[in-house]
């Protein structure tokens, strides 16, 4: 197509003249905006294309508004029981909670962390893999300390 000739021309410009790099970046981002518009993704800022282009899943609520990029456990399935809230210790065998907590704490990346907020009412900060952070936060909600488990099994 005509776009491929244009892209090749911009590539030659960048290779021949280093000052053409900012122009090439802007043009490629504008091209990405057009491509994303065809996928019904509205992009307001050109630099968002780089981030959104690498996304494999985009989380949104029922109105289509992007969410806060935070995952959380909303229901669990322990010993054949579906629980739609954080199960209490008397609902699940303590050995199962301990096994689950140790499994999540040890088998998740040690770079994934849930940092508790110093301000009351603020959500904790998630550092690292979002799925692992959601599971680590769930371990905390079960009354376990994932950091202590990690220290015991380095």
């Amino acid at each position: 197509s005509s776009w491929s000739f244009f892209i090749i021309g911009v590539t030659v410009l960048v290779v021949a003249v280093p000052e053409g790099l900012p122009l090439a970046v802007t043009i490629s981002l504008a091209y990405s905006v057009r491509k994303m518009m065809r996928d019904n993704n509205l992009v307001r800022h050109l630099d968002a294309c780089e981030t959104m282009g690498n996304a494999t899943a985009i989380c949104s609520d029922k109105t289509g508004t992007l969410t806060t990029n935070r995952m959380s456990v909303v229901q669990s399935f322990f010993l054949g029981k579906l629980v739609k809230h954080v199960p209490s210790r008397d609902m699940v065998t303590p050995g199962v909670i301990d096994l689950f907590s140790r499994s999540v704490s040890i088998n998740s990346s040690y770079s994934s962390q849930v940092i508790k907020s110093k301000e009351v009412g603020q959500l904790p900060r998630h550092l690292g893999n979002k799925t692992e952070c959601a599971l680590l936060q769930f371990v905390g909600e079960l009354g376990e300390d994932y950091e202590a488990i990690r220290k015991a099994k380095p």
Side-chain angles (χ1 to χ4, degrees):
S1 73
S2 62
W3 275 107
S4 62
F5 293 122
F6 181 71
I7 291 173
I8 291 170
V10 170
T11 304
V12 169
L13 174 70
V14 170
V15 172
V17 183
E19 292 84 17
L21 182 62
L23 172 67
V25 170
T26 303
I27 290 172
S28 66
L29 289 175
Y31 174 70
S32 297
V33 168
R34 282 187 57 160
K35 194 171 181 184
M36 291 180 78
M37 289 290 282
R38 279 188 243 128
D39 292 337
N40 294 326
N41 289 328
L42 176 63
V43 178
R44 292 185 183 171
H45 302 283
L46 286 179
D47 56 346
C49 286
E50 184 178 351
T51 304
M52 295 303 290
N54 292 328
T56 55
I58 301 172
C59 301
S60 65
D61 63 11
K62 62 185 175 185
T63 63
T65 307
L66 292 181
T67 60
T68 59
N69 194 22
R70 170 183 298 276
M71 295 182 79
S72 62
V73 176
V74 294
Q75 58 186 10
S76 55
F77 196 81
F78 285 111
L79 298 174
K81 295 180 198 170
L82 178 65
V83 183
K84 295 195 177 199
H85 52 81
V86 177
S88 60
R89 287 244 180 234
D90 58 337
M91 291 179 68
V92 182
T93 309
V96 172
I97 291 179
D98 292 337
L99 177 64
F100 174 79
S101 299
R102 282 186 285 141
S103 298
V104 169
S105 300
I106 295 169
N107 290 310
S108 60
S109 171
Y110 278 46
S111 63
S112 295
Q113 298 176 357
V114 177
I115 300 174
K116 294 177 181 156
S117 176
K118 295 177 182 170
E119 298 178 26
V120 178
Q122 291 283 10
L123 293 172
R125 241 177 46 182
H126 289 179
L127 295 176
N129 183 292
K130 300 299 180 191
T131 304
E132 290 178 353
C133 288
L135 290 171
L136 290 172
Q137 185 171 342
F138 185 62
V139 166
E141 291 169 357
L142 289 172
E144 300 288 328
D145 183 6
Y146 76 89
E147 291 174 329
I149 295 170
R150 285 179 172 177
K151 285 180 185 172
K153 302 277 185 186

